């Protein structure tokens, strides 16, 4: 009988807080429904300043006064970390 040893690792998923991790970014998307029930879906540029997309939302509402429903879209970097024997 042949025996083989395998190394097993545990993987953990964590927010990536390394210095070289991509920044967390924020954007706003317009949720207002058009007359045909499709979503407007206009979206602000992503920014690492959470207040910039809010400024975009006010500008979007000035252009489309009936568009008053929004979602904040946050992109936060996560990374898999290996734990166990090396
Ligand atoms: Zn809109």
């Amino acid at each position: 009988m042949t025996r083989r040893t395998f190394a097993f690792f545990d993987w953990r998923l964590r927010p990536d807080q390394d210095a070289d991790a991509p920044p967390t970014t924020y954007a706003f998307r317009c949720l207002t429904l058009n007359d045909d029930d499709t979503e407007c879906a206009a979206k602000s540029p992503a920014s690492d300043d959470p207040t910039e997309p809010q400024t975009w939302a006010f500008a979007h509402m000035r252009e489309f006064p009936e568009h008053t429903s929004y979602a904040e879209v946050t992109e936060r970097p996560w990374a898999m970390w290996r734990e166990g024997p090396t």
Side-chain angles (χ1 to χ4, degrees):
M1 181 172 171
T2 303
R3 299 193 85 172
R4 294 185 181 176
T5 303
F6 295 92
F8 293 95
F9 301 97
D10 287 330
W11 287 90
R12 306 250 185 246
L13 186 60
R14 300 184 196 156
D16 189 349
Q17 297 175 326
D18 282 359
D20 62 348
T24 296
T25 60
Y26 307 88
F28 263 50
R29 190 179 88 231
C30 181
L31 298 178
T32 303
L33 296 179
N34 297 310
D35 291 341
D36 63 357
D37 279 349
T38 59
E39 197 175 274
C40 166
K43 189 177 174 187
S44 75
S47 171
D48 57 5
D49 177 353
T51 64
E52 281 187 23
Q54 295 172 21
T55 301
W56 172 89
F58 280 102
H60 186 68
M61 195 185 73
R62 273 195 296 278
E63 189 173 353
F64 304 96
E66 69 278 15
H67 290 202
T68 56
S69 184
Y70 296 88
E72 183 183 43
V73 181
T74 304
E75 185 172 287
R76 184 182 326 280
W78 286 62
M80 289 284 187
W81 296 77
R82 192 177 70 182
E83 294 180 347
T86 53

